[in-house]
Amino acid sequence: MNRNAVETVMGAVVLVVAAVFLFFAYTTSQVQALGGTEYTARFDRVDGIRDGSDVRISGIKVGSVVQQNLDPKTFFAVLHISVDPKVKLPVDTVASITSSGLLGDKYLALEPGNEDDTIKPGGRIEHTQSPMNLENMIGQYIFGQTGKKPDAGGGQPGDAGSAPAPKP
């Protein structure tokens, strides 16, 4: 009988610790529904962005990505974002996908412009910049693919051997 009581108490302690952990995780995770202004933005690629990703201005979180989908006609990625209603975005705002660090999470960075006119709620952010693909950049650096076309003759411009041979 004594052993059953100890097991019951230990089980209760484990359940209380798990409940405290879940409460702590929920209160510190900043998972909350924003009742903000919705906008859309079109990108070539949205590598690393997912639903719930941050939307930041000057490093400050002002919203989140609500949904992402593919435009079936143009094959552009369309992000639907929600931004704090106190933030009014000028029409020349630029949306770019950046990361928190070399291996950090990606987020949508908004850079407001200088126009007086603002984007209407439900409107589209026209100026976007897709993320840079780090793997491709490293591969180009390693394999020397800098975008220069190879010289046909193998020499320097102006060398006698650099001109292609005349056709017979």
Side-chain angles (χ1 to χ4, degrees):
M1 184 80 174
N2 189 17
R3 182 176 175 197
N4 287 340
V6 171
E7 289 177 354
T8 303
V9 170
M10 289 304 294
V13 168
V14 167
L15 289 176
V16 168
V17 169
V20 168
F21 174 75
L22 289 174
F23 175 76
F24 175 75
Y26 179 76
T27 57
T28 60
S29 67
Q30 298 179 358
V31 175
Q32 57 202 16
L34 289 174
T37 308
E38 291 204 14
Y39 301 103
T40 60
R42 295 176 182 267
F43 292 89
D44 293 335
R45 293 185 347 263
V46 290
D47 299 340
I49 293 291
R50 62 190 190 292
D51 293 353
S53 292
D54 289 352
V55 176
R56 300 180 188 176
I57 296 177
S58 300
I60 308 284
K61 181 178 178 178
V62 295
S64 61
V65 175
V66 177
Q67 180 185 9
Q68 55 183 333
N69 53 19
L70 184 67
D71 184 344
K73 293 180 183 172
T74 62
F75 298 107
F76 281 117
V78 180
L79 291 183
H80 299 270
I81 63 173
S82 177
V83 176
D84 187 347
K86 294 181 274 186
V87 177
K88 305 296 182 199
L89 297 176
V91 294
D92 58 345
T93 297
V94 177
S96 60
I97 298 173
T98 59
S99 62
S100 298
L102 187 60
L103 300 174
D105 270 350
K106 302 255 178 151
Y107 64 92
L108 185 67
L110 298 178
E111 297 174 25
N114 294 322
E115 291 287 330
D116 292 332
D117 295 335
T118 59
I119 303 172
K120 305 286 186 247
R124 186 167 96 181
I125 299 171
E126 296 292 334
H127 308 288
T128 60
Q129 183 177 7
S130 296
M132 294 175 44
N133 192 336
L134 184 62
E135 292 86 8
N136 285 349
M137 290 175 38
I138 291 173
Q140 287 176 353
Y141 180 75
I142 289 174
F143 297 112
Q145 298 173 353
T146 59
K148 295 180 184 176
K149 293 184 178 180
D151 205 15
Q156 296 294 324
D159 286 350
S162 66
K167 293 183 181 180

